[in-house]
Amino acid sequence: LRATLCQVAQAAVRTKNCWIQEKFKRLVPRLGYVKAIWAIVHLLCKIVWNMLHKGQTYLEKGKPTTPQAAKRRAQKIARELRIPGYTVNIKPATDAALPL
């Protein structure tokens, strides 16, 4: 269990735009890498405990996606779809075009 929790923590701190990664970056200079990872393990254990025992859902507190990042992601997906031969047109969604 200890090794698995350590791997989960290391994966969590490498997740982009995640508040866990930001917390880890704040802890590393003060605690060092190993102790900061164990602090994240402790944090993740508390999150899982609250989810299982209190029935709370996990809400990501990370930074919201910027419009530029969303545009780059859409362009990347379109480029990947063009490789097998699909035709892709990217246009921004409007409120009227969104399904209810």
Side-chain angles (χ1 to χ4, degrees):
L1 182 62
R2 180 179 172 150
T4 303
L5 286 172
C6 187
Q7 287 180 350
V8 169
Q10 290 180 9
V13 300
R14 286 175 174 77
T15 304
K16 294 180 182 177
N17 295 328
C18 179
W19 70 276
I20 295 173
Q21 181 186 45
E22 294 170 9
K23 183 164 185 70
F24 176 75
K25 286 181 180 180
R26 288 192 309 265
L27 291 173
V28 168
R30 190 174 72 231
L31 300 177
Y33 183 84
V34 175
K35 287 184 180 181
I37 284 291
W38 284 110
I40 298 300
V41 167
H42 181 74
L43 177 71
L44 292 174
C45 286
K46 290 193 302 187
I47 290 171
V48 170
W49 189 87
N50 283 324
M51 289 172 63
L52 295 176
H53 287 86
K54 295 183 179 180
Q56 296 176 345
T57 57
Y58 175 73
L59 297 174
E60 176 59 42
K61 301 176 189 175
K63 298 175 186 173
T65 303
T66 62
Q68 295 85 9
K71 184 177 179 181
R72 282 193 308 268
R73 186 166 195 274
Q75 290 171 344
K76 180 181 177 186
I77 292 170
R79 188 172 48 249
E80 290 176 359
L81 285 172
R82 287 186 187 110
I83 292 171
Y86 291 100
T87 303
V88 179
N89 294 324
I90 301 173
K91 58 182 179 180
T94 61
D95 292 336
L98 296 175
L100 296 176

